[in-house]
Amino acid sequence: MKKNIKLIFYIILILLLCIFIFFILKNSFLYDYKDKLNDSLKSYYLQEDNDIESIKKIIDRYKTNNKKIDNINNILNEFILNSINEYNINYETREDLDNNYNKIISKITYLLDNINLDISSKKDSFISTIDNLYESKVNYLEALKYYLENDYNKAYEYFDKVIKSDSYYDDINNKIDAIFNSELKIIEDKVNNEKIKLNDDNQNNLGIYTNILNILKEEKDNTIFDLEKSKTYINLLDETINKLLELYKNIAVNYAENNNYSEALKTINEGIKIITNMSYSAQDLINLKDEYDNMMPVLLTSLNEDINGNSLSEDIAVLDINNKSYPSAIIVKKNNNSSISYNLNKEYVKFKFTIAIGTEVNEKNKNYGRIKIYADNKVIYDSKDITKSFETKDISLNVKDINIRRVLFRSSTSKSTSKSDILVALLGNPTLEKY
């Protein structure tokens, strides 16, 4: 009998030991610390007092496990951000706002002050975010009070202080539009009065939309309200800028189609200035400008030259015998036979210049010479003899499909002078055109 009792005792003891081991294993391997921590945090936020013992136990339990401590930091961070989001709602009264503000400040401050984790270093940042939201919501509720009393000046003053991250922010644009209603009605009437004048003429329409832009700018400058916070005003401004972009582009393209690239570029530059001054992008016009810049006339003297002899050279700010100044010129001095050549690469259609005699040609020293211009070895211009009586001429030559253009000067041997290095003639502002 005693043996049976002993056996039963040992069996019970073993069963108890197995149960004990089971609970230890369950606690070690099946314990979900993440869910437990989230539950503890929710409970902590809802309770009246600041009891964080269950939270601290979880932290203490895994304080030597870096991976789990990192996870705990992340859970706490997410909890605080979610709490701030839940705080960032619309409130009916200032009292409700104050109560929730005091609660979230108390809860987050106490929690982060009493745990020894990395997340605690972000306390000031969290508190600053909450404070900014609180101040913004106070401004909104104050604005709403004046708004309902039809004191729109005061209402706008406070609406203007609501920050973008505030839950109220989406509501203020509509209320600001309501505040601006009378001002916007005046603006819309002025804009519509201009639009009545629109027709199929791009130049006419450009003038009208320029007037509309000036109206929008003047109204913005002359009101106490920030019209850029009004959806109606912004829509009017966007429409006007887009129309101006379209018109400037169409007018410039029309000039270019008629080979008037100088007017096209003048139009584009005007458009770029107006659009960018309004802080809008003028990229389409900039791209068109880059394209048309390549079609503008270029000075022949900007190309690389090949000079033979010492009678011909390039110069700037040259005077002819009539004291007319040329910003750029090919000058001819009475020395010897010389030539200067340029490679045109078939890129140009016309070559224009003014040919005139130099300041040092006079009655006493009758200087003679002759200028010939070649296009791929074919003479396309011959000045004949250059004398005191030579008349200034504007010359336009066809250089389409020409590779090499060469200016040749032959010094005359007749009626020569002992002074050889004098300015005989010049080709003023020698210009190449692509159209």
Side-chain angles (χ1 to χ4, degrees):
M1 183 69 180
K2 286 183 178 181
K3 287 184 178 180
N4 289 337
I5 291 172
K6 268 188 175 183
L7 180 61
I8 292 171
F9 173 77
Y10 285 124
I11 290 172
I12 292 171
L13 187 63
I14 290 170
L15 285 172
L16 290 172
L17 184 61
C18 288
I19 291 170
F20 179 73
I21 293 171
F22 170 76
F23 277 110
I24 290 176
L25 291 173
K26 179 184 177 185
N27 194 43
S28 299
F29 297 105
L30 301 179
Y31 180 80
D32 191 338
Y33 72 96
K34 294 181 181 179
D35 286 345
K36 182 67 175 175
L37 179 57
N38 278 317
D39 290 341
S40 296
L41 288 168
K42 289 176 184 177
S43 176
Y44 164 70
Y45 198 80
L46 293 173
Q47 68 190 13
E48 291 297 326
D49 59 350
N50 289 328
D51 182 5
I52 60 169
E53 288 306 311
S54 60
I55 298 170
K56 293 176 73 174
K57 284 180 181 178
I58 296 171
I59 295 171
D60 289 340
R61 181 174 188 147
Y62 297 108
K63 61 185 178 182
T64 60
N65 187 324
N66 291 335
K67 183 177 180 181
K68 289 188 176 179
I69 287 297
D70 286 342
N71 289 335
I72 289 171
N73 271 301
N74 291 334
I75 291 170
L76 288 167
N77 186 73
E78 185 177 357
F79 161 73
I80 293 172
L81 292 177
N82 287 337
S83 298
I84 293 174
N85 286 334
E86 290 173 7
Y87 163 75
N88 186 19
I89 59 174
N90 297 347
Y91 294 90
E92 293 293 329
T93 66
R94 173 71 178 271
E95 183 181 0
D96 291 338
L97 171 62
D98 288 345
N99 289 338
N100 277 279
Y101 169 76
N102 292 330
K103 178 180 179 180
I104 192 172
I105 290 291
S106 171
K107 289 293 183 180
I108 291 176
T109 300
Y110 185 83
L111 175 63
L112 296 181
D113 283 346
N114 289 278
I115 58 173
N116 186 23
L117 290 176
D118 291 343
I119 188 71
S120 296
S121 65
K122 297 173 68 176
K123 185 185 80 169
D124 289 344
S125 175
F126 290 135
I127 298 302
S128 176
T129 299
I130 297 167
D131 285 344
N132 289 338
L133 283 171
Y134 174 76
E135 184 179 351
S136 177
K137 292 179 184 299
V138 167
N139 285 322
Y140 176 84
L141 293 174
E142 195 70 14
L144 187 62
K145 179 182 73 174
Y146 289 113
Y147 178 79
L148 296 174
E149 294 172 355
N150 296 327
D151 187 346
Y152 295 136
N153 285 341
K154 273 288 186 183
Y156 177 78
E157 179 184 335
Y158 285 100
F159 276 138
D160 196 40
K161 298 175 182 178
V162 177
I163 61 177
K164 287 187 177 181
S165 57
D166 194 330
S167 61
Y168 286 120
Y169 190 78
D170 288 341
D171 183 56
I172 69 168
N173 281 330
N174 291 328
K175 284 188 167 57
I176 287 176
D177 264 358
I179 291 174
F180 292 167
N181 187 54
S182 59
E183 177 72 16
L184 291 169
K185 181 66 168 61
I186 294 171
I187 295 173
E188 287 180 311
D189 286 346
K190 289 183 178 180
V191 169
N192 289 332
N193 286 337
E194 288 294 320
K195 286 184 176 180
I196 292 172
K197 306 170 190 175
L198 292 170
N199 55 32
D200 294 331
D201 184 346
N202 282 336
Q203 289 286 3
N204 171 75
N205 296 345
L206 179 63
I208 290 169
Y209 275 104
T210 300
N211 290 341
I212 291 174
L213 181 62
N214 289 333
I215 289 170
L216 295 175
K217 288 161 61 178
E218 288 170 5
E219 292 295 332
K220 177 178 177 293
D221 293 340
N222 295 330
T223 182
I224 63 170
F225 304 127
D226 184 358
L227 288 175
E228 289 187 349
K229 289 192 174 181
S230 162
K231 290 180 180 178
T232 301
Y233 179 84
I234 291 301
N235 289 340
L236 285 172
L237 187 59
D238 287 346
E239 178 194 353
T240 302
I241 294 297
N242 288 332
K243 285 291 185 181
L244 284 171
L245 276 168
E246 179 184 338
L247 288 165
Y248 275 114
K249 185 175 180 179
N250 289 343
I251 293 170
V253 168
N254 185 61
Y255 277 129
E257 286 175 350
N258 290 283
N259 290 331
N260 193 345
Y261 289 98
S262 59
E263 282 300 319
L265 285 167
K266 180 180 176 182
T267 300
I268 289 171
N269 288 330
E270 179 184 304
I272 291 173
K273 181 179 179 180
I274 289 175
I275 301 303
T276 55
N277 281 346
M278 295 300 298
S279 299
Y280 280 77
S281 171
Q283 193 57 52
D284 284 353
L285 291 179
I286 293 171
N287 293 341
L288 202 59
K289 179 180 184 298
D290 292 341
E291 178 183 341
Y292 290 170
D293 273 338
N294 292 326
M295 298 302 295
M296 287 298 290
V298 298
L299 286 171
L300 178 67
T301 51
S302 68
L303 304 183
N304 292 331
E305 76 283 359
D306 180 16
I307 298 177
N308 289 308
N310 56 7
S311 288
L312 291 163
S313 63
E314 298 174 348
D315 206 349
I316 58 174
V318 181
L319 293 176
D320 67 11
I321 197 167
N322 297 314
N323 285 324
K324 180 180 178 181
S325 177
Y326 300 88
S328 176
I330 296 174
I331 62 172
V332 182
K333 291 192 174 182
K334 183 176 174 57
N335 288 324
N336 51 33
N337 295 341
S338 301
S339 68
I340 183 169
S341 301
Y342 300 88
N343 191 342
L344 305 188
N345 291 319
K346 298 184 178 181
E347 293 181 17
Y348 306 97
V349 174
K350 295 177 184 176
F351 172 47
K352 294 181 177 181
F353 58 94
T354 299
I355 186 167
I357 57 176
T359 54
E360 297 173 287
V361 173
N362 52 52
E363 290 293 337
K364 182 179 179 181
N365 298 318
K366 297 182 182 293
N367 297 280
Y368 295 91
R370 190 168 186 165
I371 296 174
K372 288 185 178 181
I373 298 176
Y374 291 79
D376 289 341
N377 296 319
K378 179 181 177 182
V379 177
I380 58 174
Y381 175 75
D382 187 345
S383 70
K384 307 302 182 181
D385 289 343
I386 297 174
T387 67
K388 169 72 175 176
S389 61
F390 187 88
E391 294 183 0
T392 300
K393 300 181 182 71
D394 291 325
I395 307 296
S396 178
L397 303 175
N398 182 4
V399 290
K400 185 177 181 181
D401 296 326
I402 298 302
N403 273 316
I404 304 295
R405 193 196 66 74
R406 183 165 60 102
V407 177
L408 175 67
F409 172 70
R410 293 190 181 279
S411 179
S412 173
T413 57
S414 64
K415 301 181 182 179
S416 61
T417 176
S418 58
K419 186 178 180 183
S420 61
D421 192 21
I422 64 172
L423 181 62
V424 173
L426 59 91
L427 273 58
N429 300 331
T431 305
L432 294 165
E433 296 182 352
K434 292 187 176 183
Y435 56 88

